[in-house]
């Protein structure tokens, strides 16, 4: 064998050896990070139990090598006497081995949610992911993605969502202000008396003075601090109606919503029906709203361009009541 061949073989061995060392090091890193992630999960469960929550689960196992840190929790069940209970067939947590700044939660199979007010609801989705991530400019971002979801209530209610994406995060310049961006499509709700269809909705909101929203007097404290909900833009297609809204909402001295929103409404009959179905109007009020909005639209060429006024526990547009603000 020539000296040149021996040298080439030595280099080949060196490359394979370096690759093996790198692989072994990465595997050790992955095992360590996966162990830390699993430990964090069990510590969180212990902490919640100490805080009074009921936390139960089946087997916990990890996989995802080499691309993900992945922990599967079988049959997670979290319950609180004051709030209710949630259960799923499985909850999967994902992170990147070299970056634990973003954690993704993916429940799978059938989920159940039970509260005293709404009873037991069953829920399934083809794709459901929630994530919490550190963000250099905003501090953190919480995001949810949902696709082809359906749920069934205790009284025969059925709700469906084709797609929903939203994220919540502090404002970059004012951390006490939370911002929300939402895009949804194909929402439908049915029960024995009501039917609501929302073809699509896009919303951008911000909520100020959120640091005041805690404690027994949270609402009063928030109002006195000048808290407000700003709708930077909302566009919705609701049962053939087209609605566009922006403006700011606060609270009056009775802690009822107050403010004036710039609005554009086309083909208003569908909106009036949806408001009745949602419980915002009684059947009689919905009939009156349908007639009043139809007349207002006719007088303005088919589209209502008028403010939505929130005052004294009611919302009106063009002088027509469209919602009770309880």
């Amino acid at each position: 064998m020539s000296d040149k061949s021996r040298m080439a073989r030595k280099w080949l061995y060196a490359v394979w050896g370096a690759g093996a060392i790198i692989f072994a090091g990465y595997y050790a890193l992955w095992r360590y990070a996966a162990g830390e992630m699993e430990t964090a999960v069990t510590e969180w469960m212990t902490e919640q139990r100490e805080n009074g929550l009921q936390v139960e689960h089946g087997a916990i196992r990890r996989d995802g090598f080499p691309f993900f840190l992945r922990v599967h929790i079988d049959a997670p069940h979290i319950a609180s006497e004051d709030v209710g209970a949630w259960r799923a067939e499985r909850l999967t947590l994902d992170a990147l081995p070299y970056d634990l700044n973003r954690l993704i939660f993916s429940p799978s199979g059938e989920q159940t949610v039970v509260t005293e007010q709404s009873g037991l609801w069953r829920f399934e989705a083809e794709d459901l992911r929630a994530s919490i991530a550190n963000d250099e400019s905003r501090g953190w971002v919480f995001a949810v993605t949902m696709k082809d979801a359906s749920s069934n209530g205790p009284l025969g209610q059925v709700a469906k969502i084709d797609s929903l994406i939203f994220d919540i995060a502090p404002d970059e310049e004012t951390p006490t202000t939370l911002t929300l961006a939402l895009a949804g499509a194909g929402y439908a709700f049915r029960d024995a008396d009501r039917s609501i269809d929302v073809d699509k909705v896009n919303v951008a909101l911000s909520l100020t003075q959120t640091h005041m929203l805690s404690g027994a007097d949270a609402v009063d404290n928030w109002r006195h601090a000048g808290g407000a909900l700003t709708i930077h833009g909302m566009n919705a297609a609701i049962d053939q109606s087209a609605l566009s809204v922006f403006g700011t909402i606060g609270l009056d001295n009775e802690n009822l919503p107050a403010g004036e929103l710039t609005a554009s409404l086309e083909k208003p009959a569908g909106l009036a029906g949806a408001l009745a179905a949602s419980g915002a109007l009684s059947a009689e009020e919905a009939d009156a709203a349908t007639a009043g909005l139809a007349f207002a639209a006719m007088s303005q060429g088919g589209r209502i361009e008028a403010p939505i006024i929130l005052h004294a526990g009611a919302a009106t547009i063009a002088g027509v009541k469209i919602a009770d603000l309880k």
Side-chain angles (χ1 to χ4, degrees):
M1 182 180 295
S2 66
D3 292 341
K4 190 172 183 180
S5 297
R6 290 191 188 95
M7 184 61 68
R9 180 170 294 182
K10 288 180 179 179
W11 275 109
L12 181 62
Y13 290 156
V15 170
W16 277 104
I21 292 172
I22 293 171
F23 180 84
Y26 181 80
Y27 180 67
L29 172 65
W30 182 90
R31 280 181 58 85
Y32 172 78
E36 289 294 300
M37 186 173 172
E38 185 174 338
T39 298
V41 169
T42 56
E43 288 178 350
W44 181 88
M45 292 178 177
T46 300
E47 182 180 342
Q48 301 315 304
R49 292 187 184 105
E50 292 173 351
N51 291 334
L53 287 180
Q54 177 187 352
V55 180
E56 300 174 355
H57 58 85
I60 298 178
R61 60 185 180 85
R62 42 180 130 142
D63 67 15
F65 182 82
F67 301 111
F68 294 99
L69 295 173
R70 180 169 291 154
V71 173
H72 299 291
I73 305 171
D74 289 340
H77 177 221
I78 302 175
S80 166
E81 292 184 1
D82 299 330
V83 179
W86 168 81
R87 185 189 300 272
E89 292 182 15
R90 174 181 288 179
L91 176 63
T92 299
L93 286 74
D94 284 301
L96 295 173
Y98 49 85
D99 183 8
L100 298 179
N101 286 317
R102 182 169 182 253
L103 190 60
I104 302 171
F105 304 81
S106 305
S108 57
E110 183 182 77
Q111 302 173 59
T112 60
V113 177
V114 183
T115 67
E116 184 177 349
Q117 292 78 17
S118 63
L120 186 149
W121 282 75
R122 301 183 183 278
F123 175 86
E124 286 189 279
E126 178 182 309
D127 181 22
L128 175 59
R129 287 167 288 153
S131 67
I132 182 74
N134 293 327
D135 184 86
E136 290 185 3
S137 60
R138 295 180 289 175
W140 56 267
V141 178
F142 176 74
V144 171
T145 299
M146 186 184 304
K147 181 179 179 182
D148 292 337
S150 62
S151 60
N152 296 275
L155 302 176
Q157 306 100 319
V158 177
K160 295 183 179 181
I161 298 176
D162 289 344
S163 66
L164 177 67
I165 301 172
F166 73 84
D167 63 67
I168 301 172
D171 180 74
E172 184 173 345
E173 297 181 357
T174 311
T176 57
T177 294
L178 286 183
T179 63
L180 179 144
L182 179 150
Y187 171 76
F189 176 85
R190 305 281 186 274
D191 67 9
D193 305 312
R194 298 177 293 174
S195 175
I196 303 172
D197 291 284
V198 179
D199 296 325
K200 65 178 180 179
V201 60
N202 294 283
V203 183
L205 308 173
S206 63
L207 185 70
T208 65
Q209 306 295 342
T210 56
H211 61 296
M212 305 301 294
L213 290 171
S214 62
D217 299 320
V219 176
D220 287 324
N221 294 337
W222 183 74
R223 172 168 56 85
H224 289 307
L229 172 68
T230 298
I231 303 173
H232 300 284
M234 184 185 85
N235 296 287
I238 305 172
D239 196 13
Q240 298 186 356
S241 292
L243 176 66
S244 177
V245 176
F246 65 90
T248 300
I249 301 171
L251 296 176
D252 63 19
N253 292 333
E254 302 298 323
N255 286 337
L256 294 170
E260 187 171 303
L261 306 174
T262 301
S264 173
L265 176 60
E266 187 175 356
K267 296 182 179 179
L271 176 63
L275 290 169
S278 70
L281 294 174
S282 67
E284 295 77 11
E285 289 172 331
D287 290 339
T290 300
L293 292 174
F295 180 78
M298 288 177 58
S299 66
Q300 297 186 35
R303 180 193 296 267
I304 299 174
E305 302 278 356
I308 296 176
I309 298 173
L310 290 72
H311 176 70
T316 60
I317 181 171
V320 178
K321 179 180 176 181
I322 57 173
D324 284 313
L325 306 176
K326 300 178 182 179

